[in-house]
Amino acid sequence: MADHRTESPELMAERYGRSGPGRDKPGRGLLIAVSAAFLVLVAVATWFIVRTVTAPLDASVHSWDPPRGDVLPVTVEIRRDAGLAVTCDLVAVDLRQIVVGQLELEVPAGPEEHLRVDAEIPLQGDGIAPELTGCRPAD
């Protein structure tokens, strides 16, 4: 049995996986890092392209006021392709997040790509906040 003090550094490197076939190529780590970065960049660019092509419509609740009688006033902000008619589904919820009102908001086609639309959600209870459950191109 060989004395561990007399073994060569090359033999020790091979034993512990620091050398051998394919291990002595300089810059291999850099090549792997650059390849991984390129793949991540391609994935992110693809995601942005797909999102842009498939989502010509974006909407959110911009603001709302306290309930007035049996309605909850709300302003919806919409970004859409010009000329696209939109239907948005709004609900009003109470303190326990129970739906106490709903509205199907129809926004006609027009030249504006970014607009804010005021609406009133009819209430069947003590609604305190609106939620936009979704928007889609109108039929």
Side-chain angles (χ1 to χ4, degrees):
M1 178 177 248
D3 185 12
H4 66 82
R5 290 174 283 175
T6 60
E7 292 183 14
S8 70
E10 293 83 22
L11 183 61
M12 293 295 286
E14 186 174 335
R15 177 183 293 167
Y16 294 106
R18 295 187 196 123
S19 72
R23 295 268 183 180
D24 54 349
K25 295 179 183 173
R28 183 170 183 223
L30 178 62
L31 178 64
I32 291 172
V34 168
S35 298
F38 177 74
L39 290 175
V40 168
L41 180 65
V42 167
V44 169
T46 302
W47 180 80
F48 276 116
I49 290 169
V50 168
R51 177 154 162 70
T52 301
V53 170
T54 61
L57 174 62
D58 186 33
S60 61
V61 171
H62 178 265
S63 61
W64 70 92
D65 293 324
R68 262 193 328 250
D70 59 348
V71 297
L72 180 65
V74 61
T75 301
V76 178
E77 186 169 13
I78 300 172
R79 293 181 191 274
R80 64 178 181 183
D81 288 341
L84 180 67
V86 175
T87 302
C88 292
D89 298 315
L90 292 158
V91 296
V93 295
D94 66 7
L95 282 171
R96 296 175 292 165
Q97 296 297 308
I98 295 174
V99 174
V100 293
Q102 64 185 44
L103 173 70
E104 191 173 83
L105 177 64
E106 300 286 338
V107 181
E112 306 91 4
E113 291 184 357
H114 180 217
L115 63 149
R116 290 184 181 149
V117 179
D118 294 323
E120 292 182 337
I121 304 172
L123 297 175
Q124 301 295 320
D126 296 326
I128 61 165
E131 290 182 5
L132 179 67
T133 58
C135 286
R136 61 195 175 282
D139 296 330

